[in-house]
Amino acid sequence: MIAVIKKDSLYEQLVQAIQTGKYPPEHHFPKEPDFAAELGVSRNTIRAALKRLEEEKYILRLKGKGTFVAPGMRVPASGNILVLTNFTSDERYPYHYILPSIREEALRRSCGIETCELAQFSMFTPEQAKSVIAQNHIGSIILITSNFIGDEPVIPLTRQLQIPVVLAHGYPEDYAVTGWAVVSCDFRAAWREALVHLAEQGHRKVVTTAYKYEDRSIRLYSREKYHELLRSLNLEDSEDLILEAAQEQPNELLLKLEAFLKRPGERPTAILAWSDFIVPGIYEVLKRMNLRIPQDIAVMGFCGGMNVKFFNPALSTVDLQYAECGRLSVEIAATASKWFEPSGTKTKAPPLVYCPYHLVKNESTAIRRFENKYRKIYKT
């Protein structure tokens, strides 16, 4: 039985089931009323889905005999793709925005998709994992996570499976640690792009909001290099302008920001948010303080996971293009024969691909008349 998920169409689920072999070639489907009851949908819904499947040659409808999976529907030569990630309802996690594009590209390439919780898969013995891989005709694995240190159980486990692995939205350091193919982003350059945009708008005193890491890095910049970057852009590099909190405590970061903005003295003219997902909270803080965006203070986002045009005012951000990350991951997995041998012997190094990023300019950083500490006037 296939669980019907609201965000996925019944048609797409049936295609996936056929492509993964759950409904093998010549499989005989139940009659429409029984099939609709089995899937928990209306007869109209199942009828529309089957009609489309017939039009696209996935199934045959034989008068007096019933509905069957077309004999030619086989698992693609590259096999199906297993997606591993840490599922969570927290919308700050990129997999929410990468997984849909993985499904879309896999469907376009007639590849089946299976998903599994990373922690659950990591508990398998090699023999159990091999059995799951074989039963589901898995030809490659895509992981949506990052920040590997080398002792994660999934690393040696996937090596024993001897199938290609692609890490979606990983860091360049993950490439060296895991030995997998990696679709990454030049996070340092993308973060610099956000700062350059603010500097070009005339800002000099910019607050950086960041999640706290043990090495005190900011978007892969060491603390020393980050201050060098600020100085190179003629931005103030005071440590006081960097506000940090644990990723699990975004509200703490907002409290620190509000307290900082209430301090006496010259107020910063811009805020660089760690990600777009904390921006609604930043907007609320500024609203409580009667600070206008961007007239009193500009706000710059980062990552592009949210629909920034529906912020009020519309948010400027650096879009890391999560959808393209998912598409590239499937492309690399589906064409793994170019760089990976089934025996586990690599014909060449697995690819490290950088997904492009894009600066999105909106009203939240539009130039407004203000005066900085050097008494220079910047205006539209």
Side-chain angles (χ1 to χ4, degrees), residues 119-310:
Q120 177 185 346
F121 187 82
S122 298
M123 294 174 65
F124 286 147
T125 65
E127 291 71 25
Q128 290 172 329
K130 288 177 181 178
S131 176
V132 169
I133 293 299
Q135 290 173 11
N136 292 279
H137 311 288
I138 302 299
S140 57
I141 294 175
I142 294 177
L143 288 96
I144 311 176
T145 185
S146 59
N147 286 319
F148 285 87
I149 61 175
D151 62 356
E152 293 84 357
V154 72
I155 297 177
L157 180 58
T158 55
R159 287 173 182 162
Q160 293 190 56
L161 296 177
Q162 297 187 353
I163 61 175
V165 180
V166 181
L167 184 60
H169 196 61
Y171 291 107
E173 290 79 3
D174 293 322
Y175 181 78
V177 170
T178 64
W180 299 330
V182 173
V183 178
S184 185
C185 175
D186 193 339
F187 296 99
R188 287 165 55 99
W191 190 256
R192 184 182 187 279
E193 185 86 0
L195 287 168
V196 167
H197 173 63
L198 292 175
E200 289 178 344
Q201 300 300 88
H203 297 284
R204 294 296 173 264
K205 191 169 186 176
V206 177
V207 171
T208 298
T209 62
Y211 289 136
K212 189 181 297 183
Y213 291 94
E214 288 185 8
D215 62 2
R216 302 180 71 238
S217 64
I218 297 176
R219 292 296 180 192
L220 303 183
Y221 285 97
S222 68
R223 206 54 153 225
E224 179 183 358
K225 292 295 183 182
Y226 191 62
H227 284 293
E228 288 181 9
L229 172 63
L230 294 174
R231 289 193 294 271
S232 72
L233 298 175
N234 199 24
L235 298 173
E236 290 191 28
D237 67 337
S238 170
E239 187 70 21
D240 287 345
L241 290 171
I242 300 175
L243 306 181
E244 295 175 293
Q247 185 171 1
E248 299 77 19
Q249 299 175 314
N251 288 336
E252 180 185 344
L253 192 55
L254 296 173
L255 290 173
K256 286 185 176 182
L257 175 63
E258 186 167 3
F260 181 83
L261 294 176
K262 288 180 177 178
R263 287 164 52 176
E266 183 185 14
R267 183 184 295 127
T269 60
I271 299 169
L272 175 52
W274 179 257
S275 81
D276 296 349
F277 299 101
I278 198 172
V279 170
I282 292 175
Y283 272 38
E284 185 61 33
V285 167
L286 298 180
K287 182 179 179 181
R288 284 200 303 268
M289 297 182 65
N290 294 317
L291 293 175
R292 300 167 299 166
I293 307 169
Q295 293 90 335
D296 299 319
I297 191 165
V299 179
M300 182 75 195
F302 189 83
C303 83
M306 304 182 76
N307 196 334
V308 295
K309 66 184 178 182
F310 289 111

Side-chain angles (χ1 to χ4, degrees), residues 2 14-29 58-60 67-75 80 135 137:
I2 302 173
L14 292 174
V15 169
Q16 293 286 349
I18 292 170
Q19 291 176 340
T20 58
K22 288 180 180 177
Y23 295 144
E26 302 182 19
H27 171 81
H28 189 186
F29 288 108
Y58 283 103
I59 64 173
L60 298 175
T67 302
F68 302 83
V69 175
M73 286 293 109
R74 306 285 179 183
V75 175
N80 298 316
Q135 290 173 11
H137 311 288

